[in-house]
């Protein structure tokens, strides 16, 4: 992606909101998303693209911050849906779970709809975000407990 | 040369049936599940993902189960599977500086911003077999501490601020990234292709080559500037969506080797670098990779190419264990036609030899 597109996506609050929701959904387990969606009376929608799985080439950078190189591939599932009211949603996630990609696409469409944006945030995105942050914080705390201080000994003593 | 053979279908079918039986093992024991492999043999799964060059824990676990724990066979299965799926494109290059770090150590500075974090490591264990693990061991809950605040900058970034280490090569914006899964290897190969090759290379091969550089075959005086392991979010610019879509996180290990300095009449001396990165928690692999990446830069850095680890054609042509095992193991397939012709030739040569010998003996006897 060129820098112009990157600027556009950073500036656009709608894109920022969709990306934030997608990030939460992609990290969640399929069953978690399904459980949250049960709490919503979903509108009618059609599959714009039948859910499918494929690959993306994951790129690293030489030295961590240099020119890109191809590190290896990852499986990805994707789907696209359209609500009866016209909003188009896309779902992309690592792995081969097509149901998950479809649910993400549906949530992405709901996030864009005036009618459902609020309920999908409170019933789906917010609880998943909270659950993710809790997992992340627990892991960060476990990691922090393994921080060490090495003391260097002066050679020739002791 | 291998010439196709026919027949043996019944025997082959029965052999595979026997293999399936042996794979299951004692049927009185519970069958091992994929989540068990993924969770409890996690580093085996990581290795299959790294060398299979496909990030998918579930598939790697399935491959390990199907291969009865034979890692190269499992890697082979994963490689074959990847050929069945379409590629949607390439991700945005990942930024390891934004890693959710679970382990991060440096052997060059003891006080680094963000700290030395051991994480889940075999380091400092006594390597004594633990009989407790034989059955029903319940480990203690992990200790907790206040989560660390602030960023964990790469050690090479810290050295780079003072110009003490060479910067990473930036490359031109529009230059396509080399991809050895799309074009056959040709030499000389650029560093992007070399790193792709090394990232999926056999760990044992890289370990031996890296070790050889330490023992003097292409010496490059390394320090482990930093090793980090953790989770990184991956993003993919999807044309249909129109922006970079978050795909979720992958686990990754990165190693930055800091190596002997170079300088010239026009450039001040500074440390050079070797880089390693691989899917999962693959520390030995990435350390070895970083050693070999540095030794393969001999040409670029004006060093004499004397050792195997400095020879990119040698390293890159023999690093792939799927290719290597294919060529070595094909020797066991029927080579009857080939062997028959060799046998015929050998018999002819022996007869000629015997005839000459016989003639000489006759002559000696006559004299």
């Amino acid at each position: 992606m060129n820098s112009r597109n990157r600027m556009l996506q950073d500036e656009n609050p709608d894109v920022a909101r969709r990306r934030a929701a997608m990030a939460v959904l992609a990290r969640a387990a399929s069953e978690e998303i399904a459980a949250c969606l049960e709490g919503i009376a979903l509108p009618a929608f059609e599959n714009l693209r039948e859910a499918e799985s494929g690959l993306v080439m994951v790129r690293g950078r030489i030295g961590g911050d240099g020119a890109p190189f191809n590190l290896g591939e990852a499986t990805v599932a994707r789907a696209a849906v359209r609500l009866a009211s016209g909003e188009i949603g896309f779902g992309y996630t690592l792995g081969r779970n097509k149901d998950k990609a479809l649910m993400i696409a549906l949530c992405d469409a709901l996030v864009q709809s005036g009618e459902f944006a609020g309920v999908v945030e409170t019933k789906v995105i917010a609880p998943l975000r909270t659950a993710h942050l809790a997992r992340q914080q627990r892991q960060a705390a476990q990691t922090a407990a393994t921080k060490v201080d090495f003391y260097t000994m002066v050679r020739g003593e002791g | 040369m291998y010439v196709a053979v026919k027949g043996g279908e019944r025997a082959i079918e029965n052999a595979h049936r026997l293999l399936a039986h042996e794979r299951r093992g004692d049927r009185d024991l519970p069958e091992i599940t994929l989540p068990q492999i993924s969770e409890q043999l996690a580093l085996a799964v990581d290795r299959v993902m790294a060398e299979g060059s496909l990030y998918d824990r579930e598939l790697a676990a399935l491959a390990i189960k199907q291969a009865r724990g034979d890692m190269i066979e499992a890697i082979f299965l994963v490689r074959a599977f990847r050929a069945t799926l379409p590629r949607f494109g390439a991700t945005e290059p990942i930024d390891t500086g934004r890693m959710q770090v679970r382990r991060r150590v440096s052997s060059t500075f003891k006080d680094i911003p963000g700290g030395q974090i051991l994480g889940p490591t075999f380091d400092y264990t006594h390597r004594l077999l633990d009989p407790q693990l034989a059955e029903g061991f319940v480990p203690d809950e992990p200790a907790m501490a206040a989560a660390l605040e602030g960023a964990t900058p790469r050690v090479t970034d810290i050295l780079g601020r003072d110009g003490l280490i060479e910067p990473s090569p930036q490359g031109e914006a529009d230059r396509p990234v080399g991809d050895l899964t799309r074009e056959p290897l040709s030499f000389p190969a650029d560093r992007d292709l070399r790193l792709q090759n090394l990232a999926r290379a056999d760990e044992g091969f890289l370990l031996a080559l890296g070790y050889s550089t330490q023992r003097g075959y292409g010496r490059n005086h390394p320090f482990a500037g930093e090793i980090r392991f953790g989770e990184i979010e991956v993003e993919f610019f999807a044309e249909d969506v129109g922006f970079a879509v978050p795909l979720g996180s992958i686990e990754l290990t990165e190693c930055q080797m800091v190596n002997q300095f170079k300088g010239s009449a026009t450039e001040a001396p500074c440390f050079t670098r070797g880089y390693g990165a691989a899917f999962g928690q693959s520390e030995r692999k990435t350390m070895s990779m970083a050693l070999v990446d540095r030794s393969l830069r001999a040409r670029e850095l004006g060093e004499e190419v004397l050792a195997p680890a400095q020879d990119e054609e040698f390293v890159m042509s023999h690093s792939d264990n799927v290719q290597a095992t294919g060529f070595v193991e094909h020797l066991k397939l029927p080579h009857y036609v080939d062997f028959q012709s060799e046998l015929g030739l050998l018999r002819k040569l022996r007869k000629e030899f015997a005839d000459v010998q016989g003639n000489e003996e006759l002559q000696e006897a006559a004299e």
Side-chain angles (χ1 to χ4, degrees):
Chain A
M1 180 177 52
N2 62 38
S3 53
R4 196 182 60 86
N5 278 337
R6 170 68 80 185
M7 277 167 61
L8 280 177
Q9 87 181 29
D10 283 346
E11 282 166 12
N12 185 330
D14 290 337
V15 169
R17 199 155 43 91
R18 288 175 64 194
R19 273 169 42 83
M22 285 171 167
V24 169
L25 291 160
R27 280 191 297 244
S30 184
E31 305 77 49
E32 288 179 296
I33 305 174
C36 291
L37 279 174
E38 274 177 16
I40 302 180
L42 294 171
F45 67 92
E46 59 171 332
N47 284 343
L48 210 56
R49 179 200 284 136
E50 208 56 47
E52 60 176 341
S53 48
L55 304 169
V56 291
M57 176 57 87
V58 178
R59 292 222 163 122
R61 290 183 178 280
I62 299 172
D65 59 350
F69 72 96
N70 290 315
L71 181 65
E73 287 166 308
T75 53
V76 166
R78 69 177 177 186
V81 301
R82 177 161 52 205
L83 302 185
S85 47
E87 291 84 359
I88 293 173
F90 296 95
Y92 278 82
T93 180
L94 288 173
R96 288 160 295 120
N97 192 327
K98 294 178 198 171
D99 292 340
K100 183 179 169 188
L102 183 64
M103 285 189 285
I104 295 175
L106 182 58
C107 289
D108 180 45
L110 296 174
V111 164
Q112 297 170 68
S113 93
E115 192 184 343
F116 289 93
V119 68
V120 80
E121 169 61 30
T122 52
K123 296 270 191 184
V124 183
I125 312 296
L128 292 177
R129 187 188 296 121
T130 305
H132 169 70
L133 286 177
R135 278 195 296 265
Q136 200 174 45
Q137 277 160 8
R138 189 173 63 243
Q139 196 175 68
Q142 291 170 355
T143 301
T146 69
K147 182 172 181 288
V148 286
D149 298 304
F150 286 114
Y151 299 97
T152 43
M153 305 294 198
V154 178
R155 283 190 190 179
E157 286 183 10
Chain B
M1 192 183 67
Y2 174 73
V3 178
V5 288
K6 279 176 130 181
E9 288 87 350
R10 170 79 55 81
I12 290 170
E13 196 186 310
N14 287 344
H16 292 169
R17 210 161 129 177
L18 183 58
L19 170 69
H21 171 77
E22 290 291 323
R23 170 165 50 224
R24 177 61 182 83
D26 182 348
R27 295 187 195 216
D28 291 335
L29 295 172
E31 186 185 347
I32 194 168
T33 66
L34 300 191
Q36 284 172 342
I37 295 172
S38 182
E39 292 292 312
Q40 296 174 43
L41 299 176
L43 301 189
V45 169
D46 286 348
R47 181 168 178 189
V48 170
M49 293 198 300
E51 294 173 31
S53 201
L54 184 64
Y55 196 95
D56 188 316
R57 294 200 73 81
E58 197 183 43
L59 282 179
L62 174 61
I64 290 167
K65 181 173 179 178
Q66 186 175 333
R68 309 176 68 196
D70 179 331
M71 298 299 274
I72 293 182
E73 182 71 20
I75 290 158
F76 199 158
L77 291 169
V78 166
R79 290 271 187 95
F81 179 84
R82 72 156 279 283
T84 66
L85 289 177
R87 192 191 285 178
F88 299 153
T91 69
E92 297 292 295
I94 50 179
D95 179 359
T96 52
R98 292 175 57 191
M99 182 185 276
Q100 179 79 24
V101 168
R102 296 189 57 204
R103 168 167 168 78
R104 189 262 203 142
V105 292
S106 170
S107 72
T108 50
F109 300 106
K110 65 184 171 70
D111 300 311
I112 40 173
Q116 306 258 5
I117 301 154
L118 291 181
T121 181
F122 293 123
D123 292 356
Y124 313 107
T125 62
H126 294 108
R127 266 73 182 213
L128 297 173
L129 276 174
D130 184 357
Q132 278 186 297
L133 278 175
E135 205 174 352
F137 176 64
V138 181
D140 294 333
E141 284 297 315
M144 309 270 254
L148 304 162
E149 299 288 327
T152 43
R154 284 177 290 247
V155 165
T156 43
D157 296 349
I158 300 165
L159 277 169
R161 274 179 222 142
D162 300 327
L164 292 171
I165 195 164
E166 58 173 351
S168 299
Q170 290 305 313
E172 300 118 54
D174 296 329
R175 189 181 162 277
V177 180
D179 187 352
L180 56 82
T181 67
R182 294 292 161 97
E183 310 110 36
L185 279 181
S186 65
F187 301 100
D190 287 336
R191 197 164 168 205
D192 55 352
L193 266 181
R194 297 202 303 257
L195 286 172
Q196 183 183 13
N197 177 280
L198 298 179
R200 55 200 258 141
D202 184 77
E203 179 174 312
F205 180 74
L206 288 187
L207 176 66
L209 280 177
Y211 181 41
S212 75
T213 68
Q214 289 181 287
R215 293 192 63 253
Y217 294 85
R219 185 180 294 272
N220 56 36
H221 304 279
F223 291 93
E226 180 176 351
I227 296 154
R228 57 169 64 198
F229 157 67
E231 282 179 21
I232 297 186
E233 190 160 273
V234 181
E235 292 190 347
F236 172 64
F237 184 84
E239 295 288 342
D240 50 359
V241 187
F243 55 81
V245 176
L247 298 178
S249 298
I250 62 169
E251 287 184 337
L252 188 88
T253 307
E254 178 185 61
C255 173
Q256 306 268 6
M257 285 289 177
V258 174
N259 300 76
Q260 73 185 165
F261 29 83
K262 59 148 195 160
S264 67
T266 53
E267 275 182 88
C270 64
F271 286 115
T272 58
R273 307 164 65 156
Y275 186 68
F279 291 149
Q281 188 171 7
S282 308
E283 204 157 294
R284 185 185 306 115
K285 162 70 177 267
T286 48
M287 291 182 76
S288 306
M289 176 174 170
L291 289 173
V292 177
D293 171 49
R294 174 60 184 79
S295 64
L296 288 179
R297 295 181 62 207
R299 186 164 42 84
E300 172 199 344
L301 295 172
E303 296 163 348
E304 211 176 348
V305 176
L306 297 168
Q310 296 169 308
D311 181 336
E312 64 185 46
E313 187 161 350
F314 176 80
V315 172
M316 293 175 72
S317 304
H318 300 110
S319 62
D320 190 301
N321 53 24
V322 176
Q323 278 173 11
T325 204
F327 203 50
V328 169
E329 290 202 53
H330 102 285
L331 290 174
K332 69 193 171 186
L333 298 176
H335 280 69
Y336 306 135
V337 176
D338 227 16
F339 190 69
Q340 284 303 320
S341 75
E342 295 272 316
L343 206 56
L345 180 62
L346 184 62
R347 285 200 173 111
K348 186 162 160 274
L349 291 173
R350 285 175 64 89
K351 184 169 181 300
E352 284 169 9
F353 178 81
D355 290 348
V356 171
Q357 288 276 317
N359 285 342
E360 280 172 2
E361 275 164 28
L362 275 178
Q363 267 182 350
E364 277 168 26
E367 284 163 13

